[in-house]
Amino acid sequence: MTLHENLAPGKYKLTVDDYLHLDETGVFGPHRTELLDGDIIVMNAEYRPHGWARDELAYRLRRALELLGSDLTATSGSVHASGHDMPMPDITLTREPRGQGAIPLASVALVVEISSTTLRRDTADKVAIYAHAGIAEYWVVDVNARVIHQMWNVAGDTYASRHDVAFGDPIEASTIPGLKVETSDL
């Protein structure tokens, strides 16, 4: 955003380019951030329940994808979802895990958010962002309720199909044929 004398009073959303420029200047310091609907979100500290669930599920997804011979891999990193959105999902299934910059949106098949303190944001704001971006499937792992909220079938800014999977039951991706992982001990 370039400020100039004709700028009307009001609230302005940052663009991804603005956000990246701020990040390059070091303004965020050691803090992990993401850009959601033009707002900078400073991410919470990560505690063991969140970290364990993320690492274990990412490992299980990676193994399952390898066994399927899939060209997808489970990784983490920012996704350039729109002009005002650069979320940082906990796990992203992508065809392009390597390279410079954010994970390309076109390569993303499924995203996972691990939720221990951010459930409202993950099941509302991020649903709209991921669905609007056309990400085919979205999972929210609710570590407190011990359930995975599985969403697919993009319908505008939401997902028309939803299913909850309790920890201990296997979860099968709806949009990636044959991808199934166990959820016990998450």
Side-chain angles (χ1 to χ4, degrees), residues 71-149:
D71 62 345
L72 292 167
T73 192
T75 191
S76 62
S78 298
V79 175
H80 190 155
S82 77
H84 295 282
D85 295 297
M86 187 174 275
M88 187 185 302
D90 290 297
I91 304 169
T92 302
L93 300 191
T94 177
R95 289 180 177 78
E96 296 183 45
R98 297 176 187 231
Q100 299 298 313
I103 297 169
L105 179 61
S107 75
V108 176
L110 185 150
V111 294
V112 180
E113 293 287 357
I114 309 297
S115 204
S116 55
T117 61
T118 58
L119 186 62
R120 194 206 65 72
R121 183 183 310 141
D122 294 339
T123 57
D125 302 342
K126 287 190 175 181
V127 166
I129 289 167
Y130 293 140
H132 183 76
I135 294 173
E137 190 164 348
Y138 176 41
W139 298 355
V140 177
V141 178
D142 183 344
V143 297
N144 298 317
R146 301 191 49 76
V147 66
I148 300 174
H149 306 287

Side-chain angles (χ1 to χ4, degrees), residues 13-173:
K13 295 179 182 185
L14 289 177
T15 66
V16 168
D17 288 340
D18 299 330
Y19 173 71
L20 292 174
H21 178 70
L22 288 170
D23 187 46
E24 289 168 5
T25 66
V27 73
F28 304 130
H31 303 289
R32 290 182 19 197
T33 63
E34 58 186 349
L35 185 68
L36 303 180
D37 195 28
D39 294 330
I40 298 167
I41 306 299
V42 176
M43 299 170 81
N44 295 341
E46 182 177 274
Y47 297 109
R48 288 180 288 174
H50 181 282
W52 173 262
R54 182 204 57 231
D55 292 349
E56 190 63 23
L57 184 56
Y59 171 76
R60 292 174 191 190
L61 285 165
R62 254 190 313 278
R63 292 285 298 139
L65 290 165
E66 288 171 3
L67 291 172
L68 285 174
S70 177
D71 62 345
L72 292 167
T73 192
T75 191
S76 62
S78 298
V79 175
H80 190 155
S82 77
H84 295 282
D85 295 297
M86 187 174 275
M88 187 185 302
D90 290 297
I91 304 169
T92 302
L93 300 191
T94 177
R95 289 180 177 78
E96 296 183 45
R98 297 176 187 231
Q100 299 298 313
I103 297 169
L105 179 61
S107 75
V108 176
L110 185 150
V111 294
V112 180
E113 293 287 357
I114 309 297
S115 204
S116 55
T117 61
T118 58
L119 186 62
R120 194 206 65 72
R121 183 183 310 141
D122 294 339
T123 57
D125 302 342
K126 287 190 175 181
V127 166
I129 289 167
Y130 293 140
H132 183 76
I135 294 173
E137 190 164 348
Y138 176 41
W139 298 355
V140 177
V141 178
D142 183 344
V143 297
N144 298 317
R146 301 191 49 76
V147 66
I148 300 174
H149 306 287
Q150 179 182 18
M151 296 164 251
W152 70 99
N153 194 9
V154 174
D157 287 344
T158 193
Y159 291 89
S161 301
R162 295 172 182 242
H163 178 66
D164 288 344
V165 177
F167 283 20
D169 294 336
I171 186 167
E172 187 168 349

